[in-house]
Amino acid sequence: MESRPLRYFVAVAEELNFARAAERLGISAPPLSRAIRRLESDLGVTLFERTTHSVALTRAGEVLLGEARFALDALEAAGRRARRAAGPDRKLVLAVKADGDAGLLEPLLERFAADPAALPVTVRLCGWQEQPPLLRRGEADAALVHEPFDRTGLDSEPLIAEPRVAALSAAHPLAARDHVLLADLGLRPGDLHRFLEQMRHGGRDLAQLLTRVALGELVTVLPTSVAGRYPRPGVVYRPVPDAPSSLLAVAWPQQSRSTATAALVRAATAVAASAREEDDGSGQPVASTSARSWSRSGGPGRA
């Protein structure tokens, strides 16, 4: 299967209109329609239900859309990685959400730099959950990312599990307690992920979030490491013992065979293990196997 029909198919599937898809692709509608017909014939399935007024994906079309997007991203990523590998200044790109590294970033970079396989590292700061697409597109080699995330095309290694704290205004009635429960915040355990997604989709960075907390405009829930690293006047942090832990992982593309990326994953797991050993009990140990198997095989592999 060639990439051009897949690109045509994705455009039509996203627009659900042949004229708009053709305009987006810079071609006319008749050859686009013929290309889709040929693709359906080659695959032996119907991808679109067409009427004079609408275009809709069939079940087969829905499945192909996800696979086609991944395949096209993989092709583009392969080109980007090849160009980067051929460049005069080889480097490794690590994607990290600002303030989302649980305090591991600096010791991780220091430990990685001491590895014989190390390359210079560019840290790419990004927003919430932007790391997996960067890995799939070949724009990053590894990432520190919080669970849950889209694992399509990726391998990962758990690093650290942190309890959560509620960030409250010092004037909030709950600030007088030594801990709070999710029910005190109007939440159930199953609601927490959706609640945090709503916070993040609001486009607020941590500084903005804590300012609004100090002003009494909102209450939020954060990993324990944030409380230690970001003390702020007017904000108090209280443990939330019934909240699910915040899980941080290191992720990389499944097809990667970079010894430098392997060394960075080993450094990440070693630093996380050291942090747990030195922890006062707030961090929780997690299993680590992929980095060891990768070290033996010379590539990322699977655990």
Side-chain angles (χ1 to χ4, degrees):
M1 188 182 299
E2 297 180 358
S3 63
R4 181 178 295 176
L6 285 182
R7 294 184 193 281
Y8 287 1
F9 164 74
V10 170
V12 176
E14 291 178 346
E15 298 291 345
L16 293 179
N17 182 289
F18 276 81
R20 288 198 301 269
E23 182 179 358
R24 168 174 153 182
L25 293 165
I27 62 175
S28 60
L32 174 59
S33 181
R34 289 194 295 271
I36 296 299
R37 294 283 187 191
R38 283 196 299 272
L39 180 60
E40 290 178 317
S41 177
D42 290 343
L43 295 175
V45 299
T46 299
L47 299 173
F48 297 100
E49 295 289 352
R50 305 165 178 83
T51 71
T52 55
H53 301 293
S54 67
V55 175
L57 281 167
T58 63
R59 176 58 185 157
E62 291 173 354
V63 171
L64 182 60
L65 179 58
E67 299 288 347
R69 283 169 170 161
F70 177 67
L72 293 173
D73 283 347
L75 283 173
E76 293 180 5
R80 288 191 186 97
R81 293 190 185 101
R83 288 189 293 272
R84 287 175 51 203
D89 300 316
R90 292 184 61 205
K91 62 184 179 181
L92 187 147
V93 178
L94 175 63
V96 183
K97 181 186 179 297
D99 307 312
D101 62 304
L104 300 183
L105 181 58
E106 290 79 6
L108 161 61
L109 294 178
E110 182 178 352
R111 188 177 188 109
F112 174 62
D115 193 293
L119 292 174
V121 176
T122 295
V123 175
R124 177 159 177 174
L125 297 178
C126 53
W128 179 256
Q129 295 296 312
E130 289 181 1
Q131 302 97 314
L134 291 175
L135 293 173
R136 282 190 285 271
R137 294 198 300 264
E139 296 179 35
D141 301 288
L144 298 182
V145 59
H146 280 90
E147 304 271 8
F149 62 91
D150 181 359
R151 298 174 177 277
T152 305
L154 306 177
D155 275 338
S156 66
E157 190 70 35
L159 295 179
I160 200 161
E162 294 184 82
R164 299 187 193 262
V165 294
L168 309 159
S169 164
H172 196 285
L174 294 175
R177 300 188 186 181
D178 59 359
H179 71 275
V180 299
L181 301 177
L182 287 174
D184 299 325
L185 305 175
L187 297 170
R188 295 172 298 181
D191 296 333
L192 184 60
H193 179 66
R194 184 171 62 253
F195 168 76
L196 296 175
E197 285 293 310
Q198 291 171 348
M199 287 280 180
R200 288 152 187 153
H201 285 302
R204 307 181 187 104
D205 62 22
L206 186 59
Q208 292 173 324
L209 201 64
L210 293 178
T211 296
R212 296 195 63 188
V213 169
L215 293 173
E217 296 180 3
L218 57 82
V219 171
T220 191
V221 180
L222 299 166
T224 301
S225 60
V226 173
R229 294 159 59 203
Y230 297 95
R232 192 179 183 95
V235 176
V236 297
Y237 299 98
R238 296 292 180 261
V240 187
D242 63 338
S245 296
S246 173
L247 304 176
L248 182 69
V250 58
W252 63 92
Q254 285 177 346
Q255 69 272 25
S256 173
R257 290 298 180 268
S258 162
T259 56
T261 304
L264 185 135
V265 173
R266 290 196 301 270
T269 55
V271 166
S274 296
R276 293 194 301 268
E277 290 173 1
E278 297 171 1
D279 200 280
D280 61 1
S282 61
Q284 301 171 21
V286 288
S288 176
T289 56
S290 294
R292 291 194 292 273
S293 65
W294 192 1
S295 175
R296 291 193 296 270
S297 67
R302 301 305 190 265

